[in-house]
Amino acid sequence: MLHTFIALVDNKPGVLTRIASLFRRLNINIASLTVGETERDDLSRMTIVCEAPENAAHRIRASLYKLEIVRDVDEVTRGEAVIRELALIKVAAGPPASSMSSRTHLFELANVFRARVVDLAPESLMLEMTGSASKIEGLLQVLAESHYKILEVSRTGRMAMRRGKHTSRVLKALGSKDHGDAEFPPLAADEALPNQFAEHDA
Amino acid sequence: MPKATKTNPNNAPTLTGAEILWATLVGEGVSTVFGYPGGAILPAYDALRKFPIHHVLVRHEQGAAHMADGYARASGKTGVCVATSGPGATNLVTGLATAMIDSIPVVAITGQVSSKVLGSDAFQEIDITGITLPITKHNFVATRAEDIAPMIREAFQIAQSGRPGPVLVDITKDAQQGSCVYDFEAVAPAPYRPHPMLRAETPEMVKAIELMRASTRPVILAGHGIIQSGAEREVIAFAERHNIPIATTLLGLGGIPASHPLSLGMMGMHGESWVNNAIQQSDLLLAFGMRFDDRVTGNLATYAPNAKKIHVEIDPSEINKNVKVDVALIGDLKEVLTTIAKILDERGEPRGVDVTKQWRDEIRAMKGDASVRDIINLPDNGHLYAAHVINDIWQEAKAAGRLDSTIIATDVGQHQMWEAQYFKHEATRTLITSGGLGTMGFALPAAIGAKIACPEKDVWVIAGDGGFQMTAAELSTIVQEGIHINIAVINNGFLGMVRQWQEAFYDKNYACSPILSPDFVILAGAHGIPGANVTKRAEVLPTVTKARTADTAFLINFAVEKEDGVYPMIAPGAALHEMVRRPNPLIETAED
Ligand SMILES: Cc1ncc(C[n+]2csc(CCOP(=O)(O)OP(=O)(O)O)c2C)c(N)n1
């Protein structure tokens, strides 16, 4: 299954390699990984989506925490978090004279999918779309089924943020800038005993 | 004299990066480093003699890493090794990997080309932090003098905390040559952050206690963690309180005195039959600071099928990795056992109820049954067996009253397993061996590190003729340091463990396992180290005494039986109780 982890990591050179190297060592394929700045300039935020057995999550999380540069790791599911992706899609579409109808149709399609046309060139146009991965895949599928020629696709990979008032444990704990004497609160008491071998309905 | 300023409140001195390196090491309590100079680390070496640090010049940087490792295993303190950039740094790799997989605190310092040419394939530039990423707990690159002290201090904290491990600090030449204010106190690392998934709360402990109450056939599995945590006494007290027999992993040997009535001996692939059978037949396994490595579990599908499992472990990523457990107490073993004892005391748990007596009697019976196959009970038939040699080294130390002060560093192979079986370790940190990586060439340099850490102890190298040749150049280091180390080469003319596998699983096709060796006694002599050849059992004890009481290092070449095997043995994939026992010819000569 796909797991989505949100990791807060030190904003330092080499951090990405350490994370990527860990997944390589565990022989887990990363489906997507986004990194960017956060509300604190000493921390970066990563959303890591990977394909791994359901029960592997505990070990991945525990292993991530063993990296010195990792401050907090959260695993989120679709229900608990807003998960978004951005895609740029370049579609072949000639000038109005030659294929008037196809361009108009593309604008309509974009409208329905809440995508935006962000560039118009003589032979192509570029769509920008933000949404869940499945929405983006929906647009791509409709384009393909309508026999549009997709020239290029660039997707950011997923970004996730928990819904509601959840502030990450670590930011709450760090408080001060020099994450000096911050105490790490223990895991929530209701968090089940980690069990990699749990029976689960697949 | 500079004045105290806002950025320098303690009016600290200005030093070069090179000086800061050594000063910080001194501040961290380091008195000895193991290293080898070269261009990119020369500024540091130039400043070395101003500091109270003893530098041991090795013959190969792999030796430096193993010495730092042996130093750490013997003393519990962090070992330090130093190498230059490029080939010096890459030569450390095997040693760091060995320390990583066995969780040994080592700090490695490497020189690096100047920061201005980093990434340009400059002479002797290598991306050592990239190379060592998976074989260090963490690593750093210092490109400015200001980086050095905080990084070294953090490196020590990381190496020693939680589950220990090696940390590498790569220091560019210009960082060593630059200078800045040096204030040891001001660069103290932030307080250690324990792994946030540690978890050893009272409810889980109570669950563990309940499992113990329901058990009549419990076994403690004592791993390296009992030594790393310093929990030897707590484990023994716990075992005594509940009358639980203790099986030990290879790296746990010594943590529990072998002669303790509850001590069973080593488990696993070459563990004793009664130990593995006890584990398979137990109804409760208490895994203390061990990680259910494939070498101790055999086939996981058939492992201890009727046993509930309690796992006390400091590394959360080890929980349920290989074996599913019923209760996990994730934390420091010593603290966990202390808390459990407190809970039991508070509850007025009755003491002295012995519910495991029948179980222990059963195990004792299995043990008696096994002893007839034991090669030790084989009468002298004119052949010299490695097991006898090791048994005699043990007997000699015992007779001399030196058992608690004898450290054995083994190499990897058959002799390593015979050592584990026949040298009965009574004291903690007296066995130094590469368990997880199985690094041949480890013994000699590790023994040098151990001897320098514990000069008052007798230190033995027990190595095969193959592995000894991998790092034999360090004989010269022994002489230059003027230290007394005893070396036992168990010479069977083969890469013995490989030969045994070829015998068992490859139709005796001894491809590339016969190995030619120099005359080790002459080799030692060329270094000024006296030695002796031993071919008969009767010569073993007197020669061992001669070595132990010599003024200098001493090498004994034991010409042992060539095609002997380590038994019992569990074939890969077989269940833990499906042991291959010693085959016939030897049994027949014993009183079976
Ligand atoms: C560096 C390294 N290379 C190869 C091996 C594989 N290996 C394991 S045991 C062994 C044979 C060791 O032979 P020897 O040192 O003579 O010891 P013996 O088994 O005969 O006691 C070999 C080659 C290893 N463990 N380490």
Side-chain angles (χ1 to χ4, degrees), chain A:
Chain A
M1 67 172 272
L2 279 184
H3 294 272
T4 305
F5 295 98
I6 300 171
L8 288 168
V9 298
D10 288 348
N11 183 8
K12 284 184 191 158
V15 166
L16 185 57
T17 319
R18 290 177 197 277
I19 301 278
S21 169
L22 173 74
F23 281 89
R24 177 181 55 79
R25 204 149 43 85
L26 295 174
N27 196 21
I28 290 171
N29 189 32
I30 297 178
S32 79
L33 192 158
T34 66
V35 201
E37 291 170 346
T38 64
E39 65 278 25
R40 291 170 55 113
D41 39 1
D42 56 341
L43 292 180
S44 306
R45 182 174 173 122
M46 292 187 178
T47 305
I48 307 158
V49 182
C50 65
E51 180 63 53
E54 175 165 357
N55 43 38
H58 165 260
R59 217 176 132 226
I60 295 172
R61 211 165 146 227
S63 303
L64 279 167
Y65 269 125
K66 282 168 71 176
L67 300 174
E68 291 297 324
I69 41 90
V70 170
R71 303 283 151 169
D72 187 57
V73 186
D74 194 8
E75 194 196 4
V76 295
T77 58
R78 239 186 328 169
E80 303 161 334
V82 175
I83 303 180
R84 288 287 180 272
E85 185 171 355
L86 185 140
L88 295 174
I89 304 164
K90 194 183 283 172
V91 188
S98 66
S99 56
M100 184 65 188
S101 57
S102 90
R103 281 208 171 196
T104 321
H105 185 226
L106 272 173
F107 276 89
E108 278 169 17
L109 258 182
N111 215 6
V112 171
F113 277 86
R114 304 233 168 97
R116 295 196 300 147
V117 178
V118 287
D119 185 53
L120 258 178
E123 303 294 335
S124 67
L125 59 79
M126 195 193 298
L127 301 174
E128 174 201 291
M129 173 164 177
T130 309
S132 66
S134 60
K135 286 241 177 70
I136 291 171
E137 270 137 35
L139 172 59
L140 287 169
Q141 196 183 339
V142 170
L143 286 170
E145 281 170 6
S146 317
H147 304 293
Y148 287 104
K149 192 166 174 215
I150 296 171
L151 299 172
E152 268 182 77
V153 177
S154 174
R155 295 171 65 166
T156 56
R158 278 151 259 209
M159 282 170 60
M161 187 177 281
R162 261 188 194 278
R163 295 177 189 276
K165 224 180 67 180
H166 178 276
T167 316
S168 92
R169 287 187 295 272
V170 71
L171 288 186
K172 219 191 274 176
L174 291 180
S176 69
K177 185 144 169 39
D178 60 351
H179 30 99
D181 33 28
E183 277 283 324
F184 272 70
L187 294 189
D190 57 348
E191 226 161 320
L193 176 72
N195 184 359
Q196 200 184 331
F197 299 85
E199 246 71 58
H200 57 86
D201 23 47

Side-chain angles (χ1 to χ4, degrees), chain B residues 550-564:
Chain B
D551 303 331
T552 63
F554 198 95
L555 180 145
I556 311 175
N557 178 52
F558 292 101
V560 298
E561 189 72 6
K562 287 193 182 320
E563 299 193 24
D564 195 5

Side-chain angles (χ1 to χ4, degrees), chain B residues 440-453:
Chain B
M440 284 172 70
F442 176 75
L444 183 62
I448 295 173
K451 182 69 184 182
I452 286 171

Side-chain angles (χ1 to χ4, degrees), chain B residues 16-304:
Chain B
T16 66
E19 292 166 334
I20 290 173
L21 165 63
W22 302 118
T24 314
L25 289 175
V26 171
E28 290 290 345
V30 174
S31 55
T32 305
V33 301
F34 305 92
Y36 208 88
I41 193 80
L42 268 184
Y45 273 81
D46 190 47
L48 173 58
R49 84 190 130 77
K50 296 182 218 158
F51 295 86
I53 287 187
H54 175 57
H55 179 276
V56 176
L57 180 68
V58 303
R59 295 301 180 270
H60 185 294
E61 290 86 350
Q62 179 185 349
H66 289 329
M67 286 179 209
D69 177 321
Y71 181 95
R73 291 186 206 232
S75 65
K77 290 187 281 187
T78 298
V80 180
C81 56
V82 184
T84 190
S85 66
T90 55
N91 275 350
L92 292 175
V93 166
T94 302
L96 293 175
T98 306
M100 180 68 178
I101 199 154
D102 284 350
S103 312
I104 306 300
V106 165
V107 169
I109 312 288
T110 48
Q112 181 56 282
V113 299
S114 181
S115 65
K116 289 170 216 72
V117 295
L118 269 180
S120 71
D121 290 341
F123 179 62
Q124 293 193 331
E125 180 188 1
I126 200 77
D127 174 14
I128 195 61
T129 43
I131 290 173
T132 58
L133 198 76
I135 53 162
T136 52
K137 213 177 148 185
H138 192 60
N139 58 29
F140 297 92
V141 186
T143 53
R144 305 170 310 148
E146 288 83 351
D147 297 337
I148 296 174
M151 284 179 181
I152 298 278
R153 294 209 62 182
E154 206 181 334
F156 273 80
Q157 185 191 58
I158 293 170
Q160 293 159 347
S161 56
R163 179 175 178 174
V167 181
L168 181 137
V169 186
D170 196 28
I171 308 178
T172 61
K173 196 168 182 178
D174 52 338
Q176 297 167 48
Q177 288 162 329
S179 49
C180 68
V181 169
Y182 168 68
D183 185 344
F184 185 78
E185 294 309 327
V187 295
Y192 165 60
R193 291 181 290 137
H195 194 297
M197 291 162 83
L198 295 187
R199 200 165 113 119
E201 313 285 331
T202 314
E204 274 119 28
M205 296 206 188
V206 170
K207 242 193 263 170
I209 293 170
E210 278 161 11
L211 286 182
M212 280 161 52
R213 274 218 209 98
S215 159
T216 53
R217 305 165 71 82
V219 176
I220 290 172
L221 309 176
H224 198 194
I226 65 173
I227 297 169
Q228 301 269 38
S229 162
E232 296 93 339
R233 263 193 263 152
E234 286 72 13
V235 171
I236 293 169
F238 181 90
E240 286 174 350
R241 179 169 190 166
H242 307 284
N243 298 300
I244 308 180
I246 309 169
T248 313
T249 68
L250 175 65
L251 293 187
L253 290 175
I256 307 296
S259 63
H260 191 283
L262 288 170
S263 166
L264 297 180
M266 185 173 74
M267 64 179 104
M269 180 172 271
H270 293 295
E272 305 296 356
S273 58
W274 65 88
V275 186
N276 289 339
N277 282 329
I279 290 170
Q280 288 300 78
Q281 295 169 24
S282 103
D283 67 0
L284 178 66
L285 294 178
L286 300 109
F288 289 171
M290 57 85 75
R291 58 189 176 92
F292 294 106
D293 182 81
D294 55 78
R295 285 296 188 267
V296 304
T297 60
N299 187 343
L300 286 171
T302 53
Y303 181 67

Side-chain angles (χ1 to χ4, degrees), chain B residues 275-338:
Chain B
V275 186
N276 289 339
N277 282 329
I279 290 170
Q280 288 300 78
Q281 295 169 24
S282 103
D283 67 0
L284 178 66
L285 294 178
L286 300 109
F288 289 171
M290 57 85 75
R291 58 189 176 92
F292 294 106
D293 182 81
D294 55 78
R295 285 296 188 267
V296 304
T297 60
N299 187 343
L300 286 171
T302 53
Y303 181 67
N306 303 317
K308 299 264 186 219
K309 284 131 194 147
I310 298 171
H311 198 179
V312 187
E313 166 60 48
I314 196 158
D315 180 352
S317 72
E318 292 292 350
I319 304 297
N320 283 342
K321 186 176 83 176
N322 300 332
V323 169
K324 175 179 167 7
V325 298
D326 299 277
V327 176
L329 298 170
I330 315 174
D332 177 66
L333 178 60
K334 188 172 178 164
E335 285 170 24
V336 168
L337 292 184
T338 309

Side-chain angles (χ1 to χ4, degrees), chain B residues 501-531:
Chain B
W501 278 58
Q502 290 169 330
E503 177 184 336
F505 310 118
Y506 296 91
D507 291 332
K508 293 201 179 189
N509 176 17
Y510 294 159
C512 306
S513 54
I515 184 167
L516 183 81
S517 294
D519 183 323
F520 289 120
V521 174
I522 295 180
L523 179 72
H527 290 86
I529 295 175

